[in-house]
Amino acid sequence: LEGHAVRTPLLEAEFLGRALGARLLIKAEPLQRTGSFKFRGAYNAISQLSPAALKAGVVGFSSGNHGQAVAAAARLCGAPAVIVMPKDAPAIKIGGTRRQGAEIVFYERGRDDREAIGARLAAERGLSLIRPYDDRQVIAGQGTIGLELVAQLGVAPDLVVVPAGGGGLIAGIGLALGAVAPTAKLYAAEPAGWHDHALSLSTGERRAAPEPSRATFCDSLLALEPGLLTFALNRRQMAGGLIVEDAEVARAMASAFRDLKLVIEPGGAVALAAVLSGKLDCRNKTVVVVASGGNVDASVYAKAMEAAPYG
Amino acid sequence: LEGHAVRTPLLEAEFLGRALGARLLIKAEPLQRTGSFKFRGAYNAISQLSPAALKAGVVGFSSGNHGQAVAAAARLCGAPAVIVMPKDAPAIKIGGTRRQGAEIVFYERGRDDREAIGARLAAERGLSLIRPYDDRQVIAGQGTIGLELVAQLGVAPDLVVVPAGGGGLIAGIGLALGAVAPTAKLYAAEPAGWHDHALSLSTGERRAAPEPSRATFCDSLLALEPGLLTFALNRRQMAGGLIVEDAEVARAMASAFRDLKLVIEPGGAVALAAVLSGKLDCRNKTVVVVASGGNVDASVYAKAMEAAPYG
């Protein structure tokens, strides 16, 4: 990934950390290419395809961030890309995918089976399917975040808190921390109702999101259950799952606006929300929070700021 | 400044650059301590005071960003700080100054003479006055941005575009580029009506802002004329001045939101606005834009996003 992905900065959150009695750092993946960490995994997977496979093209299904990432990585590798996205994806994610030159196929969330659509397109057109999380190359790509944050910090962090959707990001970071900072405790953060990882980690087996009818604006974290491959890793390497409400996420987005000048999308802000709302005891700890993406529509962003005025 | 100021990232603005036919990079000073470049100059000046002067304390007058910077630098150096600020400063700047533990003295913009208030406080209480731009240590501190951006880029940029208020930032960057990248052409950007630098640079002598009654939301760039010391430097080292309208600034802020995930305040976005609105021919050039700060109230930010919907 070196020279292709951005080595995103690890931002010192001085004021927010002081309020927690902790040293708090933010790994700023909104500053990654295409505005989320997803570029890392997508590029790692696509750049290893054969010349013939690249020529035939790739297909990805995605709530939006993985789609943009596959489209961008494919463009850089000279491959055509088809992205299967939900109709209700944020406009910024649809626009971002389109301007990378990808073809978009829309599906209806809750009605259509996006995996089946992706598999059918792959078979019909001879495309390589780039899975959003349950893939070894993708997990390895996301893991570079773990290597980078430990190198940038210079020591092992005490706590690392990371958003979880399908679990590819936490799986990759967990592998990396196991290698370079095995004393660090790794937590997943999820929106309430969609906390399949919290549930699965506490019971030790893959469990579905307990309340997937519950509304949340964390559009990037609506996976219904942990991935097979990702959970096989995560059940061994995670310390637990943290659950946040949308109001806490909005406050975290507003805090990042005020104190970090970093735009974070709802799903990207759940880990920061978990830490700022006190779901973990951070006192006297060095805490790294991963902000995983920043692709949010301006109207949603403005509403979050309004709901969470800073004092 | 090493170990005290943040070495802010130089962000590759891939999509925005492609649209201009240029390589475009953003030096992201909103990610600096206190949310603007001003910390560099303030810390450089304050950290060189004698122990007795630090004990007595410092005073700064400021539209807001220099105030926060002086307050933060003073806190780090163990000095008490008094900040003279306009009553109508953005709430985020007043709050940011206050939580650094500084005492705030308000003045009425357009009625009171803030320099006189600062000088009186300095005399009465034995405080060291930290000027916002017309000061050698302050200019030298801001100049570290020029050194960093050339080191981060690895080559000399063709064009460097920088917001100008009193001219301390451009003066410092000009000195640095003169030393490490003398072929780079340096431009100042200002809001229309308040373009005292554009006017002064084209006539070769210090001229006042031609239309200071004109409303602009670029609150950090409302200096009435170039500084004495800064203009003595800038008249020799600047290639010219660029003038932007508020609507162009709002579009630049929205572009930074969408494509960079970086919060930029109005005054901090004038250089990006000048480049994106075509005030300079950037084709086939390597262009560095300094985003100088990100301290903007959420309501102003939301309005700018609304005025400049992205397509």
Side-chain angles (χ1 to χ4, degrees):
Chain A
L1 288 177
E2 186 127 16
H4 301 287
V6 175
R7 185 181 163 95
T8 55
L10 187 67
L11 306 174
E12 190 93 42
E14 215 179 327
F15 177 76
L16 298 172
R18 216 188 303 156
L20 293 167
R23 181 172 177 206
L24 179 62
L25 302 112
I26 315 292
K27 184 65 171 162
E29 287 298 299
L31 303 179
Q32 186 52 264
R33 256 181 152 153
T34 73
S36 89
F37 74 96
K38 290 282 192 181
F39 179 80
R40 297 174 185 260
Y43 189 86
N44 193 45
I46 293 172
S47 63
Q48 295 182 48
L49 293 175
S50 69
L54 285 176
K55 201 176 165 198
V58 299
V59 59
F61 49 85
S62 163
S63 65
N65 280 334
H66 176 65
Q68 287 180 83
V70 167
R75 192 176 57 76
L76 289 168
C77 296
V82 183
I83 307 299
V84 183
M85 283 178 86
K87 258 188 198 155
D88 66 350
I92 195 171
K93 293 181 180 176
I94 296 172
T97 303
R98 193 164 277 146
R99 73 188 192 196
Q100 296 288 353
E103 176 189 342
I104 303 182
V105 174
F106 288 107
Y107 72 90
E108 193 96 38
R109 216 195 277 264
R111 189 196 70 187
D112 302 336
D113 180 348
R114 66 179 193 173
E115 298 207 29
I117 298 173
R120 200 194 63 221
L121 282 165
E124 278 175 11
R125 305 205 205 166
L127 307 173
S128 299
L129 178 62
I130 310 297
R131 296 180 181 280
Y133 47 86
D134 238 358
D135 176 283
R136 283 186 302 172
Q137 318 286 16
V138 169
I139 292 171
Q142 325 302 28
T144 56
I145 292 173
L147 301 178
E148 284 177 22
L149 73 86
V150 174
Q152 290 169 314
L153 191 57
V155 296
D158 298 308
L159 305 173
V160 179
V161 189
V162 181
L169 178 58
I170 49 176
I173 291 177
L175 282 173
L177 294 179
V180 299
T183 56
K185 282 192 177 164
L186 177 61
Y187 289 87
E190 294 167 298
W194 294 83
H195 52 280
D196 46 305
H197 281 92
L199 203 58
S200 303
L201 290 169
S202 68
T203 60
E205 52 186 44
R206 275 172 81 229
R207 298 282 285 272
E211 208 187 331
S213 60
R214 184 147 164 192
T216 170
F217 71 155
C218 299
D219 65 276
S220 50
L221 301 181
L222 305 186
L224 285 167
E225 56 183 358
L228 270 169
L229 183 54
T230 56
F231 190 65
L233 293 164
N234 289 326
R235 64 187 303 174
R236 292 200 313 257
Q237 61 197 21
M238 303 291 299
L242 309 171
I243 304 168
V244 294
E245 304 289 333
D246 276 8
E248 293 166 332
V249 176
R251 273 199 292 281
M253 291 168 69
S255 293
F257 170 82
R258 181 189 61 177
D259 289 313
L260 303 169
K261 315 306 173 190
L262 183 68
V263 176
I264 314 183
E265 65 180 277
V270 292
L272 183 60
V275 165
L276 295 183
S277 62
K279 312 287 183 212
L280 265 184
D281 183 359
C282 296
R283 276 170 305 176
N284 303 316
K285 300 263 180 24
T286 297
V287 184
V288 175
V289 158
V290 174
S292 54
N295 290 310
V296 51
D297 284 335
S299 56
V300 173
Y301 197 70
K303 245 182 249 169
M305 299 296 106
E306 215 173 286
Y310 44 82
Chain B
L1 288 177
E2 185 126 17
H4 301 287
V6 174
R7 184 181 164 96
T8 57
L10 187 66
L11 306 174
E12 191 92 42
E14 214 179 325
F15 176 76
L16 298 173
R18 215 188 304 156
L20 293 167
R23 183 172 176 205
L24 178 63
L25 303 113
I26 315 292
K27 184 66 171 160
E29 287 297 300
L31 304 178
Q32 186 52 266
R33 256 182 151 150
T34 73
S36 89
F37 74 97
K38 291 282 193 181
F39 179 80
R40 298 174 185 260
Y43 189 85
N44 194 44
I46 293 172
S47 62
Q48 295 182 48
L49 293 174
S50 69
L54 285 175
K55 200 177 166 199
V58 299
V59 58
F61 49 84
S62 161
S63 64
N65 279 335
H66 177 64
Q68 287 182 82
V70 167
R75 192 176 58 77
L76 289 168
C77 296
V82 183
I83 307 300
V84 183
M85 283 179 85
K87 258 187 200 157
D88 65 351
I92 195 172
K93 293 182 180 177
I94 296 172
T97 304
R98 193 164 275 146
R99 73 188 191 196
Q100 295 289 351
E103 176 189 342
I104 303 182
V105 174
F106 288 107
Y107 72 91
E108 193 95 38
R109 217 194 276 264
R111 189 194 71 186
D112 302 337
D113 181 347
R114 66 179 192 173
E115 299 207 26
I117 299 173
R120 202 194 62 224
L121 282 164
E124 279 175 10
R125 305 203 205 167
L127 306 173
S128 297
L129 178 63
I130 310 297
R131 295 179 181 281
Y133 48 84
D134 239 358
D135 177 283
R136 284 187 301 173
Q137 319 285 18
V138 169
I139 292 170
Q142 325 302 30
T144 56
I145 292 172
L147 300 178
E148 285 177 19
L149 72 86
V150 174
Q152 289 168 315
L153 191 57
V155 295
D158 298 307
L159 306 173
V160 179
V161 189
V162 182
L169 179 58
I170 49 176
I173 291 178
L175 282 172
L177 293 179
V180 299
T183 57
K185 283 193 176 162
L186 178 61
Y187 288 86
E190 294 166 297
W194 294 84
H195 51 282
D196 46 305
H197 281 93
L199 202 58
S200 302
L201 290 168
S202 67
T203 61
E205 52 187 42
R206 274 173 80 229
R207 299 281 286 273
E211 207 187 330
S213 60
R214 183 146 165 193
T216 171
F217 71 155
C218 299
D219 65 278
S220 50
L221 302 180
L222 305 185
L224 286 166
E225 56 183 359
L228 270 169
L229 182 54
T230 57
F231 190 65
L233 293 164
N234 289 326
R235 65 186 304 174
R236 292 198 314 257
Q237 62 197 21
M238 302 292 297
L242 309 171
I243 305 168
V244 294
E245 304 290 334
D246 276 8
E248 293 166 333
V249 176
R251 273 199 293 280
M253 290 167 69
S255 293
F257 170 82
R258 181 189 59 177
D259 290 313
L260 303 169
K261 316 305 174 193
L262 182 68
V263 176
I264 314 183
E265 65 180 276
V270 292
L272 183 60
V275 165
L276 295 183
S277 63
K279 312 287 183 214
L280 266 184
D281 183 359
C282 296
R283 275 170 304 175
N284 304 315
K285 301 262 182 19
T286 298
V287 183
V288 175
V289 158
V290 175
S292 54
N295 290 310
V296 51
D297 284 336
S299 56
V300 173
Y301 196 71
K303 244 183 248 168
M305 299 296 107
E306 215 172 285
Y310 45 80

